[in-house]
Structure formats: C-alpha cells, structure tokens
Amino acid sequence: MSFLIILSFIIFCSLLINKQIKDYISSFFAYVFLYFWGLGMLYSTFEPFGFFEVSMKTYLIVILGVGSFLLGFMLLRVRCKTSINPFYNLERLSNAIVDSRMTAIILSLICLYELRFVENALLLATIDNESTSINKFEGVFMGDRLGCWIWMYLMAPIFHSLNVLISVALVKRQRISLINIACIIAFYCMFGILSGGRILFANILYSIVMVYVILNPSFSIKRLNIKTITIFLGIGLLVFTGMLYMSAFRGHGDFTISERDFDESVNDLVEKPGRYITLPYVLLDISFKEDYLNKFGGFQMGKTSLAGGDILICGVLNRYGIKIESTENITNYLQNEWKPCAPDHSYNYAYTGILSHYLDFGIFGVILFPAIFGFLVRVFINQLYRYNSIWSLLILNLSFYLMIQAAFSNFLQNPPIFLYLSFLLLMEILSNLRYSKFFKYKSNISQ
C-alpha cells in the first residue's frame, strides 16, 4: 500500500510540474527534488539492508513535506530570458574572480595557516581512524580557536563558492592560470583532509551538474552528445577516485589503497548511497514512535529548523551574560544517540529535515517551512534571470545542496552553513539595490 501511494504521488507531482513550470531551471530543480525524495521513499518500502519497516504515518508526513515544498515552489511565476546566452555577464565575472591574483593570495594564506593542522590530522588518523570525526576536531586544531574558526567559517564558505566558480570554468571551458589551479587544488586537499568527509566530492558533483544545466538554456538529456557524456563520465570517475582515497584515509590514516582496500572501498561506496537514501525514513519513524516532540520539551517554535542561527545567537547572548538555552542539546542528542534500525545495525543523526520542522510546530511546521523554502528557491531563480547575479547563483547552489541533503538531515543546523547563507542573502539584497538605483539613475538622465 505504501509503495502505491508514494508512486501515485510521484506521478501526480510529475504531471503537475510539467504543466505548471515552464522555465528550464525551475523544472530541473523541481524534478530533482521530487525524484530524489520520491525514489528514496519507494526504495525504503522494500526494507533493504534489513532495515525495520517504516509506518504509513511517516511516509504520509514526508509526502506532506515534499508536496508543500513543491506547492510553495509553484506559487511564483518565473519569466525566463530568451536570449542565446542570458548569463554571459555572470560567466565573465565568475572567471574574473576565480582567475584573479587576489583569489590565489587568499587561498595561499589560508593554506599556509592551516598546514600545521593538516599535518596533525594526518598524524592522528594513523593512530585513531576516527580522529577526523566531529568530536575530535579539538585534537586536530590543538586548541587553536582561530584555526578552527578559519576552517569552519571561512574555508567551508569558500569551498562552496569555489565549487560554483570552478563549475562555470569547466562548463564554459574558461582558462585559469596554473598558479590559481595549484592554489585551488591545495585548498581542496587541505579542506578535504580537515573535514574528513566523502560527501565533499558529492557536493562538487552537485555544483557541476547544476551549473551545467543553468548555463545551457537548451539543455535536454536527449540532446547530450558523446563529447559531453564523456566529460561527465570523466568528472564522475575523478570524484569516485577522490572518494576512494578519502575512504582509505578514514579507514587507516593514509592514502594508499591495496587490492583488499580497493574492494572494500568500492563495496562501501556502492552500498552507502543505498543506505543513506533509505535510512533517514527509518530514523524518522523511530523519532515519531519514541515521541521526540515531548522528549525535547514540546514545540521549539522555529528554533530547530533554523538551529544554526539559534546556536550562533544564543552563543553570543550567553557570552554577554544573557542565559538562553539553544537547541544545541537537541542537535547533540541526534548526533550522539545511536538507534537500532536493523537487527544488527544502529545509526544516528540522519532523521531528514522533516524532523526539525515537526519539532517546531508539529504537522503545521512540516507544511510551513518546506513551503517557505520552496517559494524562496523560486524567488532566487527569478532573481538569477532578472539580475544575472553571481550571488543568486551561489544561493541557488547552496539551496540545491540543502534541498537534496534535507532527505538526509537538516544542514541549516550547521552554524557555518547558516552564516554563509545569511551573508549571501545580504550581498544579494545589496547587489539588487545597487542595480535598481543604477537603472533608475539612467532612466532619469534619458528623460
């Protein structure tokens, strides 16, 4: 029964998207969101990997959240530019940034400062293969608060921004100086070792696919030629290779891969995606059965959906003597409490973003927050068409990442991600105000 309901929902939403959404960027975002969530739910109904059965109630709540996002997304009509290359100015600006000397200098300074922490992370990884996990970063950064802050609040935003800029350069085959390429590679390597996560490589792939679609108005899977397919396969192979080496690093603290390690890493990388797209529904079902809403003291009134901002604000207020409890205790519980999801396996953290919304306002929160998020994503697609802004492209890249990863967890509970998004929104507003004043001034002169 669950399978038929989910399948019917996917088919209905697909027909609705095809009828209501006309511009190609919005269609791409809507279909990716629908199929990523929908196919994950369909797969989970088969109870793969021995996972426990997910109740119908949980599936219906998830369907409600996904439907609310799509409804909010469709509320705004978008006018698509019809020129041959509507984003020419954006492409030039992107290349100017990624190929500038200032970019090379900034990346070089960051790499030089963080180098000693990279050495420490490698050393600790040879002793303890869990040394790069989140609870070990104090050891990696040796108590250096500035180094940890640079990694969290500077390197992470630069990583997401570089993904977009590099993707534009790859898609449009723009030239980048060898010095800048060397600095970018060094930055990626250092950030990857400090973060210790394979999801970083998936983030790069997300950005490349999104930018390729956005910068090709005539995009269609049927029109992909052999050259384009070969390039994507090559990029996919590089990403897969990077994930293999990161698996080796997480496993035994170095980047060497033996034949046995290769087999284990490949099996791990093939199996993990299947687990990660189905596991969150099992954990979400557990959260409803164990009544997390009452366990955490009732409705959180929006604080868990925007937990990253809540943690930052409460941290600042507590520093100045104003004692306010943040939702960090909820985040820590979800991170540290392992729940049995199969007869011989326990997992943590991955409760989907739906749980955060549910903890805030119950079912109403599951409707409200996805609808707002969907509407805002469509707003920034419209902004990208209208203003040709690099800030809109960066916001859409982060939104694309957040709406896919919401099927795993709520990444807005991460303070650096929340702060980065806030910065992008501020720059987008200032950029649009400047744009509007310029054209108003130009109109007055012409009169």
Tab-separated table of all heavy atoms in Angstrom, residues 362-407:
chain	number	residue	atom	x	y	z
A	362	GLY	N	4.936	20.827	14.860
A	362	GLY	CA	4.159	19.643	14.536
A	362	GLY	C	3.874	19.550	13.046
A	362	GLY	O	4.695	19.938	12.212
A	363	ILE	N	2.711	19.045	12.682
A	363	ILE	CA	2.336	18.894	11.276
A	363	ILE	C	2.319	20.245	10.562
A	363	ILE	O	2.705	20.344	9.384
A	363	ILE	CB	0.945	18.225	11.149
A	363	ILE	CG1	1.001	16.792	11.698
A	363	ILE	CG2	0.476	18.206	9.699
A	363	ILE	CD1	1.925	15.876	10.930
A	364	PHE	N	1.905	21.285	11.262
A	364	PHE	CA	1.892	22.617	10.655
A	364	PHE	C	3.298	23.039	10.237
A	364	PHE	O	3.487	23.663	9.187
A	364	PHE	CB	1.309	23.631	11.646
A	364	PHE	CG	1.296	25.041	11.122
A	364	PHE	CD1	0.474	25.404	10.067
A	364	PHE	CD2	2.128	26.007	11.679
A	364	PHE	CE1	0.469	26.704	9.569
A	364	PHE	CE2	2.134	27.305	11.201
A	364	PHE	CZ	1.294	27.655	10.144
A	365	GLY	N	4.305	22.697	11.039
A	365	GLY	CA	5.688	23.009	10.697
A	365	GLY	C	6.153	22.264	9.461
A	365	GLY	O	6.909	22.800	8.641
A	366	VAL	N	5.683	21.008	9.295
A	366	VAL	CA	6.030	20.205	8.121
A	366	VAL	C	5.455	20.831	6.852
A	366	VAL	O	6.016	20.692	5.768
A	366	VAL	CB	5.518	18.759	8.296
A	366	VAL	CG1	5.752	17.933	7.034
A	366	VAL	CG2	6.205	18.101	9.478
A	367	ILE	N	4.345	21.541	6.984
A	367	ILE	CA	3.750	22.249	5.847
A	367	ILE	C	4.410	23.604	5.637
A	367	ILE	O	4.759	23.982	4.516
A	367	ILE	CB	2.234	22.434	6.066
A	367	ILE	CG1	1.537	21.080	6.166
A	367	ILE	CG2	1.622	23.272	4.947
A	367	ILE	CD1	0.072	21.174	6.573
A	368	LEU	N	4.621	24.338	6.725
A	368	LEU	CA	5.066	25.736	6.652
A	368	LEU	C	6.485	25.893	6.121
A	368	LEU	O	6.714	26.613	5.131
A	368	LEU	CB	4.951	26.373	8.034
A	368	LEU	CG	5.438	27.829	8.149
A	368	LEU	CD1	4.556	28.745	7.308
A	368	LEU	CD2	5.461	28.265	9.607
A	369	PHE	N	7.458	25.260	6.750
A	369	PHE	CA	8.865	25.522	6.406
A	369	PHE	C	9.246	25.048	5.002
A	369	PHE	O	9.909	25.786	4.273
A	369	PHE	CB	9.781	24.902	7.465
A	369	PHE	CG	9.774	25.650	8.761
A	369	PHE	CD1	9.090	25.149	9.856
A	369	PHE	CD2	10.434	26.861	8.888
A	369	PHE	CE1	9.071	25.838	11.058
A	369	PHE	CE2	10.426	27.558	10.087
A	369	PHE	CZ	9.738	27.048	11.185
A	370	PRO	N	8.848	23.840	4.575
A	370	PRO	CA	9.157	23.458	3.189
A	370	PRO	C	8.503	24.382	2.161
A	370	PRO	O	9.104	24.678	1.126
A	370	PRO	CB	8.596	22.032	3.086
A	370	PRO	CG	8.632	21.511	4.474
A	370	PRO	CD	8.285	22.693	5.333
A	371	ALA	N	7.280	24.848	2.440
A	371	ALA	CA	6.605	25.753	1.506
A	371	ALA	C	7.364	27.073	1.387
A	371	ALA	O	7.545	27.601	0.280
A	371	ALA	CB	5.165	26.006	1.972
A	372	ILE	N	7.823	27.611	2.519
A	372	ILE	CA	8.603	28.854	2.502
A	372	ILE	C	9.914	28.652	1.752
A	372	ILE	O	10.313	29.482	0.922
A	372	ILE	CB	8.871	29.344	3.940
A	372	ILE	CG1	7.569	29.782	4.601
A	372	ILE	CG2	9.878	30.492	3.949
A	372	ILE	CD1	7.726	30.137	6.071
A	373	PHE	N	10.588	27.542	2.037
A	373	PHE	CA	11.854	27.257	1.378
A	373	PHE	C	11.667	27.108	-0.125
A	373	PHE	O	12.441	27.641	-0.929
A	373	PHE	CB	12.477	25.997	1.981
A	373	PHE	CG	13.821	25.636	1.417
A	373	PHE	CD1	14.794	26.601	1.211
A	373	PHE	CD2	14.121	24.316	1.091
A	373	PHE	CE1	16.039	26.272	0.691
A	373	PHE	CE2	15.360	23.973	0.573
A	373	PHE	CZ	16.321	24.962	0.368
A	374	GLY	N	10.625	26.371	-0.535
A	374	GLY	CA	10.351	26.200	-1.954
A	374	GLY	C	10.071	27.524	-2.641
A	374	GLY	O	10.562	27.779	-3.753
A	375	PHE	N	9.289	28.387	-1.986
A	375	PHE	CA	8.986	29.703	-2.552
A	375	PHE	C	10.252	30.536	-2.704
A	375	PHE	O	10.469	31.193	-3.738
A	375	PHE	CB	7.983	30.427	-1.650
A	375	PHE	CG	7.591	31.787	-2.137
A	375	PHE	CD1	6.665	31.936	-3.159
A	375	PHE	CD2	8.159	32.930	-1.592
A	375	PHE	CE1	6.297	33.197	-3.619
A	375	PHE	CE2	7.810	34.185	-2.037
A	375	PHE	CZ	6.873	34.323	-3.057
A	376	LEU	N	11.126	30.514	-1.691
A	376	LEU	CA	12.362	31.312	-1.733
A	376	LEU	C	13.317	30.811	-2.814
A	376	LEU	O	13.981	31.618	-3.475
A	376	LEU	CB	13.043	31.288	-0.367
A	376	LEU	CG	12.328	32.048	0.753
A	376	LEU	CD1	13.065	31.882	2.075
A	376	LEU	CD2	12.213	33.535	0.409
A	377	VAL	N	13.387	29.500	-2.997
A	377	VAL	CA	14.242	28.973	-4.067
A	377	VAL	C	13.773	29.493	-5.420
A	377	VAL	O	14.574	29.918	-6.256
A	377	VAL	CB	14.237	27.422	-4.056
A	377	VAL	CG1	14.952	26.873	-5.301
A	377	VAL	CG2	14.921	26.900	-2.802
A	378	ARG	N	12.455	29.514	-5.626
A	378	ARG	CA	11.908	30.026	-6.901
A	378	ARG	C	12.170	31.524	-7.032
A	378	ARG	O	12.413	32.028	-8.138
A	378	ARG	CB	10.406	29.751	-6.949
A	378	ARG	CG	9.800	29.866	-8.380
A	378	ARG	CD	10.141	28.651	-9.202
A	378	ARG	NE	9.701	28.748	-10.584
A	378	ARG	CZ	8.466	28.503	-11.017
A	378	ARG	NH1	7.534	28.161	-10.146
A	378	ARG	NH2	8.179	28.573	-12.292
A	379	VAL	N	12.122	32.246	-5.922
A	379	VAL	CA	12.431	33.683	-5.944
A	379	VAL	C	13.840	33.910	-6.478
A	379	VAL	O	14.073	34.785	-7.321
A	379	VAL	CB	12.283	34.299	-4.535
A	379	VAL	CG1	12.940	35.687	-4.488
A	379	VAL	CG2	10.820	34.412	-4.149
A	380	PHE	N	14.793	33.119	-6.015
A	380	PHE	CA	16.182	33.339	-6.418
A	380	PHE	C	16.471	32.818	-7.816
A	380	PHE	O	17.396	33.302	-8.466
A	380	PHE	CB	17.129	32.740	-5.377
A	380	PHE	CG	17.158	33.537	-4.107
A	380	PHE	CD1	16.568	33.057	-2.948
A	380	PHE	CD2	17.714	34.803	-4.088
A	380	PHE	CE1	16.564	33.812	-1.794
A	380	PHE	CE2	17.719	35.568	-2.932
A	380	PHE	CZ	17.139	35.075	-1.780
A	381	ILE	N	15.671	31.880	-8.296
A	381	ILE	CA	15.758	31.523	-9.712
A	381	ILE	C	15.314	32.713	-10.548
A	381	ILE	O	15.943	33.063	-11.557
A	381	ILE	CB	14.885	30.284	-10.009
A	381	ILE	CG1	15.490	29.040	-9.356
A	381	ILE	CG2	14.743	30.075	-11.518
A	381	ILE	CD1	14.631	27.796	-9.477
A	382	ASN	N	14.242	33.365	-10.121
A	382	ASN	CA	13.762	34.561	-10.806
A	382	ASN	C	14.796	35.681	-10.747
A	382	ASN	O	15.023	36.402	-11.732
A	382	ASN	CB	12.447	35.022	-10.174
A	382	ASN	CG	11.787	36.129	-10.964
A	382	ASN	OD1	11.597	36.016	-12.174
A	382	ASN	ND2	11.440	37.218	-10.293
A	383	GLN	N	15.456	35.822	-9.585
A	383	GLN	CA	16.497	36.840	-9.428
A	383	GLN	C	17.663	36.582	-10.363
A	383	GLN	O	18.265	37.509	-10.908
A	383	GLN	CB	16.997	36.857	-7.983
A	383	GLN	CG	15.960	37.275	-6.955
A	383	GLN	CD	15.576	38.738	-7.058
A	383	GLN	OE1	14.669	39.103	-7.822
A	383	GLN	NE2	16.254	39.576	-6.316
A	384	LEU	N	17.992	35.310	-10.544
A	384	LEU	CA	19.094	34.967	-11.443
A	384	LEU	C	18.763	35.361	-12.881
A	384	LEU	O	19.601	35.932	-13.594
A	384	LEU	CB	19.379	33.464	-11.369
A	384	LEU	CG	20.544	32.957	-12.219
A	384	LEU	CD1	21.867	33.536	-11.718
A	384	LEU	CD2	20.602	31.432	-12.209
A	385	TYR	N	17.539	35.083	-13.318
A	385	TYR	CA	17.105	35.502	-14.651
A	385	TYR	C	17.123	37.026	-14.781
A	385	TYR	O	17.544	37.577	-15.795
A	385	TYR	CB	15.680	35.004	-14.922
A	385	TYR	CG	15.570	33.557	-15.295
A	385	TYR	CD1	14.693	32.713	-14.608
A	385	TYR	CD2	16.298	33.019	-16.345
A	385	TYR	CE1	14.554	31.373	-14.949
A	385	TYR	CE2	16.173	31.684	-16.693
A	385	TYR	CZ	15.297	30.869	-15.999
A	385	TYR	OH	15.172	29.561	-16.340
A	386	ARG	N	16.654	37.689	-13.746
A	386	ARG	CA	16.431	39.133	-13.825
A	386	ARG	C	17.721	39.950	-13.717
A	386	ARG	O	17.949	40.878	-14.486
A	386	ARG	CB	15.465	39.557	-12.719
A	386	ARG	CG	15.080	41.030	-12.747
A	386	ARG	CD	14.079	41.338	-11.662
A	386	ARG	NE	13.716	42.745	-11.655
A	386	ARG	CZ	12.929	43.312	-10.742
A	386	ARG	NH1	12.412	42.565	-9.771
A	386	ARG	NH2	12.644	44.598	-10.803
A	387	TYR	N	18.575	39.599	-12.743
A	387	TYR	CA	19.748	40.419	-12.461
A	387	TYR	C	21.065	39.809	-12.930
A	387	TYR	O	22.098	40.470	-12.872
A	387	TYR	CB	19.850	40.697	-10.955
A	387	TYR	CG	18.712	41.516	-10.413
A	387	TYR	CD1	17.784	40.963	-9.524
A	387	TYR	CD2	18.549	42.853	-10.784
A	387	TYR	CE1	16.739	41.717	-9.019
A	387	TYR	CE2	17.497	43.608	-10.284
A	387	TYR	CZ	16.596	43.030	-9.399
A	387	TYR	OH	15.561	43.782	-8.894
A	388	ASN	N	21.041	38.510	-13.346
A	388	ASN	CA	22.272	37.884	-13.812
A	388	ASN	C	23.360	37.978	-12.742
A	388	ASN	O	24.521	38.310	-13.023
A	388	ASN	CB	22.735	38.578	-15.095
A	388	ASN	CG	23.588	37.674	-15.960
A	388	ASN	OD1	23.955	36.585	-15.562
A	388	ASN	ND2	23.915	38.146	-17.149
A	389	SER	N	22.995	37.694	-11.506
A	389	SER	CA	23.854	37.957	-10.345
A	389	SER	C	24.622	36.715	-9.913
A	389	SER	O	24.057	35.618	-9.825
A	389	SER	CB	22.991	38.466	-9.183
A	389	SER	OG	23.702	38.433	-7.970
A	390	ILE	N	25.905	36.909	-9.614
A	390	ILE	CA	26.721	35.814	-9.100
A	390	ILE	C	26.229	35.382	-7.728
A	390	ILE	O	26.310	34.199	-7.362
A	390	ILE	CB	28.209	36.234	-9.032
A	390	ILE	CG1	29.109	35.030	-8.711
A	390	ILE	CG2	28.419	37.332	-7.988
A	390	ILE	CD1	29.200	34.022	-9.791
A	391	TRP	N	25.658	36.331	-6.963
A	391	TRP	CA	25.145	35.996	-5.626
A	391	TRP	C	23.938	35.073	-5.725
A	391	TRP	O	23.781	34.149	-4.920
A	391	TRP	CB	24.791	37.270	-4.860
A	391	TRP	CG	25.947	38.202	-4.722
A	391	TRP	CD1	26.105	39.429	-5.315
A	391	TRP	CD2	27.143	37.980	-3.955
A	391	TRP	NE1	27.309	39.975	-4.972
A	391	TRP	CE2	27.969	39.121	-4.133
A	391	TRP	CE3	27.594	36.947	-3.141
A	391	TRP	CZ2	29.212	39.238	-3.526
A	391	TRP	CZ3	28.829	37.059	-2.537
A	391	TRP	CH2	29.628	38.184	-2.724
A	392	SER	N	23.082	35.310	-6.719
A	392	SER	CA	21.925	34.421	-6.923
A	392	SER	C	22.384	33.012	-7.271
A	392	SER	O	21.812	32.025	-6.793
A	392	SER	CB	21.030	34.960	-8.041
A	392	SER	OG	20.443	36.181	-7.685
A	393	LEU	N	23.435	32.918	-8.104
A	393	LEU	CA	23.945	31.600	-8.486
A	393	LEU	C	24.523	30.872	-7.274
A	393	LEU	O	24.309	29.662	-7.106
A	393	LEU	CB	25.019	31.755	-9.565
A	393	LEU	CG	25.563	30.446	-10.163
A	393	LEU	CD1	24.435	29.647	-10.813
A	393	LEU	CD2	26.661	30.735	-11.180
A	394	LEU	N	25.234	31.596	-6.412
A	394	LEU	CA	25.796	30.987	-5.203
A	394	LEU	C	24.682	30.542	-4.250
A	394	LEU	O	24.774	29.473	-3.631
A	394	LEU	CB	26.732	31.971	-4.495
A	394	LEU	CG	28.033	32.307	-5.236
A	394	LEU	CD1	28.786	33.412	-4.500
A	394	LEU	CD2	28.917	31.076	-5.386
A	395	ILE	N	23.632	31.354	-4.132
A	395	ILE	CA	22.498	30.983	-3.276
A	395	ILE	C	21.796	29.745	-3.820
A	395	ILE	O	21.436	28.829	-3.069
A	395	ILE	CB	21.504	32.160	-3.153
A	395	ILE	CG1	22.124	33.296	-2.339
A	395	ILE	CG2	20.200	31.700	-2.496
A	395	ILE	CD1	21.296	34.562	-2.329
A	396	LEU	N	21.605	29.696	-5.136
A	396	LEU	CA	20.954	28.536	-5.746
A	396	LEU	C	21.797	27.275	-5.580
A	396	LEU	O	21.264	26.180	-5.376
A	396	LEU	CB	20.681	28.798	-7.226
A	396	LEU	CG	19.520	29.753	-7.535
A	396	LEU	CD1	19.400	29.968	-9.036
A	396	LEU	CD2	18.209	29.207	-6.982
A	397	ASN	N	23.109	27.418	-5.660
A	397	ASN	CA	23.984	26.271	-5.448
A	397	ASN	C	23.824	25.716	-4.033
A	397	ASN	O	23.688	24.501	-3.838
A	397	ASN	CB	25.437	26.678	-5.686
A	397	ASN	CG	26.417	25.562	-5.359
A	397	ASN	OD1	26.491	24.551	-6.043
A	397	ASN	ND2	27.181	25.745	-4.286
A	398	LEU	N	23.814	26.623	-3.050
A	398	LEU	CA	23.637	26.190	-1.663
A	398	LEU	C	22.226	25.635	-1.447
A	398	LEU	O	22.050	24.631	-0.734
A	398	LEU	CB	23.905	27.354	-0.713
A	398	LEU	CG	23.959	27.016	0.778
A	398	LEU	CD1	25.040	25.978	1.058
A	398	LEU	CD2	24.199	28.261	1.612
A	399	SER	N	21.228	26.249	-2.066
A	399	SER	CA	19.848	25.770	-1.938
A	399	SER	C	19.687	24.382	-2.552
A	399	SER	O	18.994	23.520	-2.005
A	399	SER	CB	18.878	26.748	-2.617
A	399	SER	OG	18.943	28.020	-2.026
A	400	PHE	N	20.338	24.171	-3.697
A	400	PHE	CA	20.304	22.868	-4.365
A	400	PHE	C	20.887	21.796	-3.448
A	400	PHE	O	20.336	20.696	-3.308
A	400	PHE	CB	21.095	22.955	-5.671
A	400	PHE	CG	20.967	21.749	-6.559
A	400	PHE	CD1	19.744	21.409	-7.115
A	400	PHE	CD2	22.063	20.959	-6.850
A	400	PHE	CE1	19.617	20.301	-7.947
A	400	PHE	CE2	21.951	19.845	-7.671
A	400	PHE	CZ	20.726	19.526	-8.224
A	401	TYR	N	21.991	22.144	-2.799
A	401	TYR	CA	22.633	21.235	-1.840
A	401	TYR	C	21.717	20.967	-0.648
A	401	TYR	O	21.531	19.818	-0.235
A	401	TYR	CB	23.955	21.863	-1.393
A	401	TYR	CG	24.570	21.249	-0.157
A	401	TYR	CD1	25.193	20.004	-0.206
A	401	TYR	CD2	24.550	21.925	1.056
A	401	TYR	CE1	25.766	19.447	0.926
A	401	TYR	CE2	25.132	21.381	2.190
A	401	TYR	CZ	25.739	20.138	2.120
A	401	TYR	OH	26.306	19.595	3.237
A	402	LEU	N	21.111	22.027	-0.104
A	402	LEU	CA	20.273	21.888	1.092
A	402	LEU	C	19.011	21.080	0.814
A	402	LEU	O	18.596	20.254	1.629
A	402	LEU	CB	19.898	23.265	1.641
A	402	LEU	CG	21.023	24.087	2.274
A	402	LEU	CD1	20.524	25.490	2.641
A	402	LEU	CD2	21.576	23.391	3.511
A	403	MET	N	18.395	21.303	-0.353
A	403	MET	CA	17.123	20.624	-0.609
A	403	MET	C	17.336	19.144	-0.920
A	403	MET	O	16.449	18.324	-0.649
A	403	MET	CB	16.364	21.315	-1.746
A	403	MET	CG	16.902	21.117	-3.125
A	403	MET	SD	15.985	22.118	-4.327
A	403	MET	CE	16.272	21.152	-5.828
A	404	ILE	N	18.504	18.777	-1.450
A	404	ILE	CA	18.810	17.363	-1.651
A	404	ILE	C	19.189	16.715	-0.327
A	404	ILE	O	18.694	15.654	0.050
A	404	ILE	CB	19.940	17.191	-2.686
A	404	ILE	CG1	19.445	17.579	-4.083
A	404	ILE	CG2	20.448	15.752	-2.695
A	404	ILE	CD1	20.511	17.524	-5.151
A	405	GLN	N	20.081	17.395	0.421
A	405	GLN	CA	20.564	16.836	1.678
A	405	GLN	C	19.489	16.830	2.763
A	405	GLN	O	19.649	16.149	3.782
A	405	GLN	CB	21.785	17.619	2.161
A	405	GLN	CG	23.023	17.429	1.303
A	405	GLN	CD	23.458	15.973	1.227
A	405	GLN	OE1	23.434	15.256	2.210
A	405	GLN	NE2	23.849	15.530	0.039
A	406	ALA	N	18.408	17.584	2.574
A	406	ALA	CA	17.313	17.561	3.551
A	406	ALA	C	16.697	16.168	3.648
A	406	ALA	O	16.080	15.825	4.658
A	406	ALA	CB	16.240	18.579	3.171
A	407	ALA	N	16.871	15.348	2.604
A	407	ALA	CA	16.408	13.962	2.662
A	407	ALA	C	17.282	13.128	3.592
A	407	ALA	O	16.935	11.994	3.923
A	407	ALA	CB	16.411	13.342	1.264
